[in-house]
Amino acid sequence: WNVFCSGFALWSPTGPGYGAAEVWADRKRLGQVDFASPEPQTSHIVFHGDGLEPGYHAIWLKNTTGRIPLDVLEAQP
């Protein structure tokens, strides 16, 4: 995603059979998300990217294992 923000929230369902991914913003690794859970769960916030300088940012996920589900990237002003 290319968004104007100072932070973001990544929404996704989780459940059996899903894998994991690294979260990146502007060539910096922010963390990892594990989309696996014992029971299926509806979409919820799985990652917060806070503390970015206000402005345009390139945000992406790098798949590390299995399938990854995506729902919404919520940009915060």
Side-chain angles (χ1 to χ4, degrees), residues 10-53:
L10 180 63
W11 290 70
S12 178
T14 56
Y18 291 131
E22 295 175 343
V23 181
W24 290 75
D26 305 325
R27 299 183 183 156
K28 180 180 177 188
R29 184 181 182 275
L30 301 181
Q32 182 162 320
V33 177
D34 186 357
F35 296 96
S37 64
E39 298 294 323
Q41 297 180 22
T42 59
S43 188
H44 59 283
I45 295 174
V46 294
F47 189 86
H48 280 269
D50 298 320
L52 301 176
E53 287 290 323

Side-chain angles (χ1 to χ4, degrees), residues 18-24 35 60-69:
Y18 291 131
E22 295 175 343
V23 181
W24 290 75
F35 296 96
W60 72 94
L61 299 182
K62 180 180 177 186
N63 187 330
T64 56
T65 61
R67 297 180 311 141
I68 57 172

